[in-house]
Amino acid sequence: EVQLLESGGGLVHPGGSLRLSCAASGFPFNAYAMTWVRQAPGKGLEWVSTISYTGDDYADSVKGRFTISRDNSKNTVFLQMNRLRIEDTAVYYCVKGLRLFDHWGHGTLVAVSS
Amino acid sequence: DVVMTQTPLSLSVTPGQPASISCKSSQSLLHSDGKTYFSWFLQRPGQSPQLLIFEVSSRVSGVPDRFSGSGSGTDFTLKISRMEAEDVGNYYCMQATSLPRTFGQGTKVEI
């Protein structure tokens, strides 16, 4: 059974940093791209970033502030979030896949507030 | 960026009755590899989104056959043949043909 377990969310001031982690199990982790998708409170879904064998990609809204990385030895994907803004407040979901988002974690809440 | 536009934004359906959601993209979702990377997701209240349909019409294993997807190019449709209580939630379309991946605004379906 595929499992994706996010951690690292919390309350942070504007301009601060957080590092999200997603521990994956139940599938050959190093064979799959991994993606982060976020959902602001009461809003829709927004793609944030994907890491694959070809490299990493970012939404314009986070480019230059967020960095996605992975540790295949630990089956974990990370999202380093710097210079956080109030509008980054959202539940961040870890998602398996490059184009086929077939498994989602339960999400971790990031709240940016002064 | 590819803009995904869903209609309607909300829908009230009687149990046992059909429902239909439309999603239009601002440009063709046909990829150079011949596939159309278009998906439908359901987010039940308080839950994470779950993939229902991928590549326009392929149903994920375990998804009831009352759900069906159709369309091509820029126009896509999700149909529920007979609404059930467990189908309540927000439905999102998404394109993965190009970057950035983009979602529709969501359609709230209730009974």
Side-chain angles (χ1 to χ4, degrees), chain B residues 7-56:
Chain B
T7 54
L9 297 183
S10 65
L11 192 56
S12 183
V13 187
T14 302
Q17 294 301 301
S20 179
I21 302 171
S22 170
C23 183
K24 296 182 188 297
S25 58
S26 59
Q27 54 191 265
S28 175
L29 300 184
L30 179 62
H31 193 274
S32 57
D33 65 7
K35 294 184 178 182
T36 299
Y37 294 103
F38 177 86
S39 300
W40 288 102
F41 298 87
L42 165 61
Q43 186 175 31
R44 295 188 172 100
Q47 296 187 17
S48 304
Q50 66 172 103
L51 179 65
L52 295 176
I53 304 282
F54 63 97
E55 292 176 19
V56 181

Side-chain angles (χ1 to χ4, degrees), chain A residues 37-56:
Chain A
V37 173
R38 70 184 180 183
Q39 186 171 34
K43 302 297 184 181
L45 302 170
E46 180 188 16
W47 173 79
V48 174
S49 179
T50 295
I51 186 166
S52 68
Y53 68 93
T54 59
D56 47 333

Side-chain angles (χ1 to χ4, degrees), chain A residues 84-100:
Chain A
L84 282 160
R85 304 168 179 168
I86 290 175
E87 56 265 33
D88 294 320
T89 294
V91 173
Y92 285 72
Y93 294 102
C94 174
V95 185
K96 170 179 166 282
L98 176 67
R99 301 182 192 272
L100 186 67

Side-chain angles (χ1 to χ4, degrees), chain A residues 26-95:
Chain A
F27 64 100
F29 180 76
N30 58 0
Y32 286 88
M34 295 297 294
T35 292
W36 289 95
V37 173
R38 70 184 180 183
Q39 186 171 34
K43 302 297 184 181
L45 302 170
E46 180 188 16
W47 173 79
V48 174
S49 179
T50 295
I51 186 166
S52 68
Y53 68 93
T54 59
D56 47 333
D57 295 290
Y58 301 90
D60 285 346
S61 57
V62 307
K63 200 172 294 183
R65 301 186 299 122
F66 291 11
T67 303
I68 192 171
S69 61
R70 64 192 297 162
D71 183 341
N72 288 337
S73 69
K74 296 181 179 178
N75 287 3
T76 301
V77 61
F78 305 97
L79 187 67
Q80 177 66 44
M81 305 185 296
N82 298 330
R83 289 184 281 141
L84 282 160
R85 304 168 179 168
I86 290 175
E87 56 265 33
D88 294 320
T89 294
V91 173
Y92 285 72
Y93 294 102
C94 174
V95 185

